[in-house]
Amino acid sequence: MEHALSPATLTELRRPRPYPAVSVLTPTHRREPDNAQDPVRLRNVLAEAKKQLEADPAVPRERRIDVSRQLDQALAEIDLAHAEDGLVIFAAPGEHQVWSLARSVPERVVLSDTFLTRNLVSAQASERPFWVLSLAADRVTLWNGGVDRVVEDHTGGFPLTRDHRDNFDAERQERIGDIPSTFRDEDTRHFLREADTAMGRILREHRRPLYITGEQAALSALDEVGSATKGAAHIAHGGLAHGTPDAVWQAVRPLVDAESLKNTVGVARELESARGRKEFAAGVDEVWQNAREGRVRLLAVEENYRVTVRDDHGDHLVPADSDDLDAREDIVDEIVEQCLETGAEVRFVPDGTLTSADGIAGVLRY
């Protein structure tokens, strides 16, 4: 299952496909007892997708069989034991993808000539992703971090490793004076320089905060030989290049939590200042209208804010029930995607932060 949404991947997902490009969305659950319903719900929504394919006269028989087979293959790849909060399945002639999201999605099936991407975009923004680079003399490991976890990432050739057997007892040699330090050794410094270069390529493609863990000597050495990783937050904690995701998460969590608090305070100040300048929008209808016009400079959304609406003759959004024919259950994700498309900054904040703004607010450009 896919997790990381890069700009190149998003561009690829958005390109037109031969009809039908099928998007299947379903909420999932991480824990018992709620996750007991996930297998049945997933099978049912995929059955609905096949039913729509069967009933659509614009889908030729061969193409219907192909896409149905792609849906079956996608189902076989899904491991609900590692489910997060939502699943998105894309299937088109000759291809399929499965995306696991740390943000809930409405249950729906869409047949079009492009895949439905707004839920992926919103989930990626809400994750507040970051990188962790863990250093050791013989291994540099890259971790992909989100709201409540890190997982090892193999982007850019990571983990980088080297044969360290020639200097297997570097600590003993340091004590008796044979070498100055493991991380003063030129081969080790060259290894760290390679890691810095590889990380630089990743940061150019996936710009996000970077935390670096390692012994203090390793952190200092990387600072001396590298350039792309300068300015990253350092965490003097060795052993994590060979560690577990949970150990890495526990090491970086205090800094991530502090950054989240700083982000929330900063957003509150910006919104208050915008209110005073009359460059402020609040509530889903007002924010939606300004987002469509490209006027939102900063969008703030509570992490679990969801609302179902319908379009009242193109002028306003009004509350709706999920079973209404024209209900829009993922209007918040639609607003997030629209704001990002027009260059706005999107910040997710803890629930309750935007109570006076009904869960969503924006700072306007003019």
Side-chain angles (χ1 to χ4, degrees):
M1 294 189 287
E2 304 287 345
H3 294 270
L5 183 67
S6 69
T9 301
L10 182 59
T11 299
E12 166 62 19
L13 287 174
R14 284 175 167 169
R15 70 171 174 81
R17 261 82 177 169
Y19 186 84
V22 181
S23 303
V24 179
L25 287 70
T26 184
T28 52
H29 304 83
R30 300 178 188 234
R31 299 174 183 86
E32 297 178 342
D34 295 331
N35 60 6
Q37 63 183 283
D38 292 347
V40 174
R41 194 165 187 171
L42 176 59
R43 286 195 297 271
N44 286 346
V45 73
L46 285 173
E48 173 60 26
K50 291 182 179 181
K51 181 179 177 182
Q52 290 191 27
L53 284 170
E54 187 76 33
D56 192 335
V59 182
R61 179 178 179 276
E62 313 81 49
R63 197 168 291 176
R64 183 181 71 246
I65 294 172
D66 184 352
V67 177
S68 294
R69 186 182 301 116
Q70 298 295 332
L71 291 171
D72 288 338
Q73 291 175 8
L75 177 61
E77 295 172 8
I78 295 171
D79 182 3
L80 289 174
H82 296 96
E84 297 179 275
D85 302 304
L87 272 178
V88 177
I89 301 168
F90 296 135
E95 64 173 319
H96 67 272
Q97 293 187 32
V98 179
W99 289 81
S100 177
L101 308 183
R103 182 170 168 82
S104 186
V105 297
E107 184 172 288
R108 64 188 308 189
V109 174
V110 178
L111 275 62
S112 183
D113 58 357
T114 58
F115 292 137
L116 183 69
T117 60
R118 60 174 172 257
N119 305 95
L120 271 67
V121 171
S122 182
Q124 179 83 351
S126 69
E127 271 276 87
R128 299 192 294 275
F130 58 88
W131 297 116
V132 182
L133 197 65
S134 295
L135 309 178
D138 62 342
R139 180 182 176 93
V140 179
T141 305
L142 179 65
W143 308 90
N144 184 6
V147 171
D148 58 0
R149 73 195 189 290
V150 299
V151 295
E152 187 172 353
D153 196 289
H154 299 286
T155 301
F158 284 99
L160 303 183
T161 60
R162 72 182 183 117
D163 191 345
H164 203 45
R165 290 175 297 178
D166 293 340
N167 198 19
F168 70 96
D169 200 5
E171 291 184 6
R172 186 192 68 80
Q173 293 181 51
E174 181 181 349
R175 287 197 300 272
I176 64 175
D178 287 347
I179 59 171
S181 163
T182 302
F183 292 101
R184 305 305 299 178
D185 173 71
E186 190 53 41
D187 287 343
T188 303
R189 291 165 71 82
H190 179 73
F191 178 59
L192 294 180
R193 193 178 294 114
E194 289 180 345
D196 177 83
T197 301
M199 192 69 232
R201 288 193 291 266
I202 291 172
L203 289 171
R204 284 193 293 274
E205 183 73 20
H206 307 275
R207 175 61 61 179
R208 60 176 75 170
L210 172 64
Y211 301 93
I212 303 178
T213 74
E215 301 172 31
Q216 186 56 56
L219 299 174
S220 299
L222 183 65
D223 253 0
E224 291 172 12
V225 303
S227 58
T229 54
K230 286 192 182 298
H234 285 188
I235 302 171
H237 190 309
L240 297 179
H242 297 272
T244 64
D246 185 62
V248 176
W249 170 241
Q250 295 306 323
V252 302
R253 183 174 185 175
L255 274 72
V256 173
D257 288 347
E259 189 62 30
S260 178
L261 178 59
K262 179 182 175 183
N263 169 71
T264 301
V265 171
V267 168
R269 286 175 179 162
E270 288 206 53
L271 292 174
E272 191 59 34
S273 176
R275 194 190 296 267
R277 299 190 309 269
K278 302 190 185 305
E279 297 174 356
F280 177 79
V284 66
D285 180 50
E286 191 174 330
V287 172
W288 174 68
Q289 293 185 54
N290 283 284
R292 288 196 303 169
E293 296 170 5
R295 295 186 60 202
V296 178
R297 177 174 65 80
L298 168 67
L299 177 71
V301 187
E302 290 187 354
E303 289 169 346
N304 294 298
Y305 177 62
R306 291 284 182 184
V307 63
T308 301
V309 298
R310 58 181 174 82
D311 190 342
D312 187 21
H313 306 299
D315 297 323
H316 294 281
L317 299 178
V318 296
D321 295 324
S322 295
D323 54 0
D324 286 356
L325 186 61
D326 53 354
R328 298 164 73 170
E329 293 184 73
D330 55 355
I331 187 64
V332 175
D333 288 0
E334 187 176 328
I335 291 171
V336 169
E337 183 181 49
Q338 179 65 38
C339 287
L340 288 170
E341 285 290 299
T342 55
E345 186 177 1
V346 175
R347 306 267 194 92
F348 282 81
V349 296
D351 295 344
T353 304
L354 304 174
T355 302
S356 63
D358 293 329
I360 187 169
V363 176
L364 305 182
R365 290 191 168 99
Y366 53 88

